[in-house]
Amino acid sequence: MAGHIQTQAIASARHSDVVELAQATSEESVGKVEVAKGTVSITRTDGTKIKAAVGAEIFQGDTVETDAEGSIGIVFADNSTFSLAENGSMVIDEMVYDPGSQQGSSSLNIAQGVFTFVSGQIAKTDVDAMTITTPTATVGIRGTAGGGKATEARGDTFSLFPDPATGVTGEITISTQVGSQTLNIPNQTTRIANSFSLPSKPIVLPASAVNQFYGSAIAAAPPPPAPQDTGGDQGGGATEEAAVEGE
């Protein structure tokens, strides 16, 4: 009997250790604020709301918001970067990354605002490994940079940019409830009226139009981190010379 009780106690202790480890892992930061301008806030999953400042940690489940003049630039654990501006609102739905295997998954949900991104290690593994969701579409990203704008009244716009570090252009696939469109040419742009409409026929915008449309997010985009030596193809991003859309 004593041995049975001792075995139960050991098993219980081990279970407790596993639970504590899982909780600690879930509470690890998944990114850090590199740029913060104007009024920007971060709301944790427990409802705690803090002012975003350079160096602040980002956690899975966080809601990030800016006012009309505010903007934020974030570097995530896989070296992807993201910037948000113009009454932007997004939730970090998922960000899981294992530096050892360089595998993971990333999902950002953008309710509104203008944004740019540079993909990192996660996007190199699969076109569905890094996704961005807006009110009208889901964007699958494969080793590149891009931007978008989500607006309640006018639908969403998406653009593809070359990698700011290498100049290489990957591709993004924008999918709605009724169809999809793949962008694979620098500054290609498509618009979507709602989730039940097809993406428009892509057009290539001049750099001046790209910079004007995405200017506030471009200005907050963090410099791409030094590339990791993985032997794989580089993930791309959005920078001052790569943002897109057209009215």
Side-chain angles (χ1 to χ4, degrees):
M1 176 67 72
H4 178 66
I5 294 174
Q6 184 178 26
T7 300
Q8 284 185 319
I10 293 173
S12 177
R14 285 177 177 171
H15 175 72
S16 178
D17 289 343
V18 170
V19 170
E20 289 178 4
L21 177 60
Q23 290 174 336
T25 301
S26 67
E27 292 173 0
E28 290 180 356
S29 67
V30 298
K32 183 174 291 187
V33 177
E34 293 291 336
V35 179
K37 301 177 181 180
T39 302
V40 186
S41 66
I42 301 169
T43 303
R44 309 299 191 192
T45 54
D46 65 359
T48 302
K49 189 173 184 177
I50 65 171
K51 179 180 179 180
V54 174
E57 292 184 314
I58 298 293
F59 295 86
Q60 185 168 285
D62 281 354
T63 298
V64 180
E65 297 174 298
T66 80
D67 68 2
E69 303 299 324
S71 59
I72 186 171
I74 300 168
V75 175
F76 287 106
D78 71 328
N79 274 0
S80 59
T81 66
F82 194 90
S83 64
L84 179 71
E86 297 182 17
N87 289 314
S89 176
M90 75 168 180
V91 177
I92 317 300
D93 276 346
E94 183 179 30
M95 172 58 69
V96 178
Y97 179 62
D98 178 0
S101 65
Q102 295 175 349
Q103 301 288 313
S105 57
S106 168
S107 176
L108 306 179
N109 193 320
I110 316 300
Q112 65 178 24
V114 60
F115 60 89
T116 63
F117 64 86
V118 178
S119 66
Q121 296 298 317
I122 289 175
K124 297 177 182 180
T125 61
D126 187 84
V127 70
D128 295 321
M130 178 183 179
T131 61
I132 293 174
T133 301
T134 71
T136 69
T138 297
V139 183
I141 301 158
R142 187 62 186 266
T144 195
K149 187 172 186 177
T151 60
E152 194 171 330
R154 305 183 67 182
D156 300 344
T157 301
F158 303 96
S159 303
L160 177 70
F161 312 138
D163 184 312
T166 67
V168 174
T169 302
E171 66 178 32
I172 59 176
T173 298
I174 302 102
S175 302
T176 70
Q177 296 283 350
V178 294
S180 63
Q181 177 68 61
T182 296
L183 307 182
N184 52 24
I185 298 173
N187 290 359
Q188 248 186 341
T189 298
T190 185
R191 297 186 64 191
I192 302 173
N194 57 67
S195 60
F196 291 97
S197 64
L198 288 168
S200 66
K201 182 179 179 179
I203 61 171
V204 177
L205 295 180
S208 58
V210 166
N211 290 329
Q212 181 176 6
F213 187 73
Y214 290 105
S216 56
I218 288 172
Q228 298 179 9
D229 185 11
T230 64
D233 43 309
Q234 295 288 346
T239 124
E240 296 186 28
E241 300 169 279
V244 163
E245 136 74 43
E247 294 296 317

